[in-house]
Amino acid sequence: MKINREHEHWMEVALKEAEIALRRKEVPVGAIIVHKGSIIGKGSNQIEMLRDPTAHAEMIALTAAASNLGNRRLEKCTMYVTLEPCPMCAGAIVLARIPLLVFGAYDPKAGACSTLYTITNDIRLNHRVHTVGGILEEKCSAILKEFFKVKRKIN
């Protein structure tokens, strides 16, 4: 049970990053990377703001964490992200050698960690990532559902 509470704590922090994206009218996804009990990287979606299709929360958090550690390998880190990573982000997580990925909401349209694909646990790749999904799933889903509900009304 201790691990679940720890995961919930860090997911709450990732949700704060998602709220930052929401205020910028970006798809509200947030990510943090934890190393030895401290956040060393965080990110929220910046795709529209930067006009960059790769500016996903996970990618921004990975870049920050690697810069913080001075190493592209994030071997003793845990990533927390509010939405199941897409294929691009899942691939980057594998390349970063992150041992543990914890996500909130499952993504039936682009999830690449258990829903559509299992990139993080594909035995054909040289690294596998232990993946835990569904942490604070309702909260993580709610912010996304509200964003898209409002977006559909506007369009």
Side-chain angles (χ1 to χ4, degrees), residues 1 5 8 18-19 21 29 31 37 41 46 57 62 64 66 71 74 76 90-91 94-95 103 106 113 119-120 145 152:
M1 283 306 233
R5 274 184 278 201
E8 288 175 358
E19 290 166 4
V29 177
Q46 297 181 37
L62 285 167
N71 194 335
L74 305 176
K76 294 183 179 170
V94 169
L95 291 173
F103 68 86
Y106 289 86
C113 301
I119 291 171
T120 51
K145 286 176 184 172
R152 280 190 290 277

Side-chain angles (χ1 to χ4, degrees), residues 22 30 61 75 84 95 99 123:
L22 181 65
E75 295 175 317
E84 180 182 2
L95 291 173
I123 61 170

